[in-house]
Amino acid sequence: MDFGIILDDALAYTKQGVFENSDKWFKLIIAILCLGIPLNGYVMRIYRGLQPAPEVDHWGSLFVDGLKLILLSLVYAIPVFIVYAIMYGGIILATMSESPTKLDAAMMSGWAPNTGLLVLIFIVEIVIALIIPIASIRFARTNTFSEGFNIGAILGYIGKIGWINYIIALVLITLVIAIPICILVLGFILLGGIIMFIFKVKYVVILGFIFAMILIILVLAPLFAVFQARCMTRVYDSVAQEV
């Protein structure tokens, strides 16, 4: 698997499809403001292998596909919710009781980290993170929930891609997206701290910086979403190309 070609293709796909198309970019920002549901539907279209980047139209189907993809992700997240419920269920039950003593005891013991459960959560989250991308693409292309949860077929397909190649691809995609976001956030924090220290500005100015940072991330989010979707689509299709 040539990771350079995959990343270059995804960058070109995102540039030509969104960055150089202000109308499509604006519509995708609107899609994010609609709780991100239509954006997930748009990602589904990319997962289906459409090239160049599809138009942002037929909003009804975008909402429906987006809800389906979100539902798929929520079902996969159930094991994580269960482990968290085991960890902090005592506190929740104690808050529903009328005994302050019992509540205080639960608060003191319940928030103490359980190393075993923390490790279990970490493992479960990694497994889910590995499965969801392929599960989402299978679901997008078959439009069948059963294929999205066909764990045997999903693991088998990842095996065809190659586990090492697949994990490297996920790490690279994550880094390409995470590094600019981290630089942006840290830059705003640093700039806000310097301005606050030098000019003794009020906290309302800092809130303005936070709002500006959120706004910029909102504007850039469609680029990240399209890039990620295209990368995973190329990784998925690499099996067919190699065959």
Side-chain angles (χ1 to χ4, degrees):
M1 182 181 296
D2 193 323
F3 302 107
I5 291 178
I6 290 176
L7 294 176
D8 287 343
D9 173 81
L11 287 171
Y13 186 92
T14 305
K15 177 184 176 182
Q16 297 170 6
V18 181
F19 188 77
E20 295 177 350
N21 190 325
S22 58
D23 179 65
K24 191 180 298 182
W25 195 350
F26 177 75
K27 289 180 179 178
L28 289 175
I29 293 174
I30 299 299
I32 294 175
L33 295 176
C34 296
L35 303 179
I37 298 174
L39 181 64
N40 278 278
Y42 187 78
V43 166
M44 287 266 282
R45 292 181 181 178
I46 298 176
Y47 282 161
R48 293 181 178 121
L50 298 181
Q51 188 176 1
E55 294 298 322
V56 186
D57 54 10
H58 302 293
W59 286 77
S61 65
L62 288 178
F63 269 96
V64 172
D65 283 345
L67 286 172
K68 289 179 179 179
L69 188 59
I70 292 172
L71 179 60
L72 182 82
S73 301
L74 288 176
V75 172
Y76 272 109
I78 288 176
V80 177
F81 296 150
I82 291 174
V83 178
Y84 273 112
I86 294 173
M87 288 182 65
Y88 299 113
I91 294 178
I92 297 173
L93 292 176
T95 56
M96 298 171 63
S97 71
E98 298 180 358
S99 172
T101 303
K102 184 178 180 181
L103 175 59
D104 292 339
M107 291 293 289
M108 291 297 295
S109 61
W111 286 113
N114 185 309
T115 304
L117 289 178
L118 288 176
V119 172
L120 179 60
I121 288 177
F122 181 71
I123 294 174
V124 171
E125 288 177 342
I126 289 179
V127 171
I128 292 174
L130 291 173
I131 291 176
I132 280 185
I134 300 300
S136 299
I137 297 176
R138 287 181 65 87
F139 170 60
R141 297 194 175 186
T142 63
N143 202 29
T144 305
F145 271 109
S146 60
E147 284 302 313
F149 297 108
N150 190 341
I151 303 300
I154 292 170
L155 296 179
Y157 200 89
I158 295 175
K160 292 179 181 179
I161 296 173
W163 281 94
I164 294 178
N165 285 338
Y166 182 65
I167 292 173
I168 291 175
L170 290 180
V171 171
L172 287 176
I173 295 168
T174 301
L175 288 176
V176 171
I177 294 175
I179 289 176
I181 294 178
C182 289
I183 292 175
L184 178 64
V185 172
L186 292 175
F188 266 95
I189 293 175
L190 180 61
L191 181 61
I194 292 175
I195 292 177
M196 188 175 179
F197 177 77
I198 295 178
F199 299 101
K200 309 297 182 182
V201 297
K202 297 181 179 180
Y203 286 102
V204 66
V205 178
I206 302 302
L207 292 176
F209 269 95
I210 295 175
F211 176 78
M213 179 182 66
I214 295 174
L215 183 62
I216 292 176
I217 292 177
L218 171 66
V219 171
L220 295 178
L223 301 177
F224 296 138
V226 172
F227 173 80
Q228 172 273 332
R230 178 59 180 175
C231 277
M232 289 312 308
T233 301
R234 285 297 306 269
V235 171
Y236 187 93
D237 289 337
S238 64
V239 172
Q241 292 174 4
E242 289 175 3
V243 173

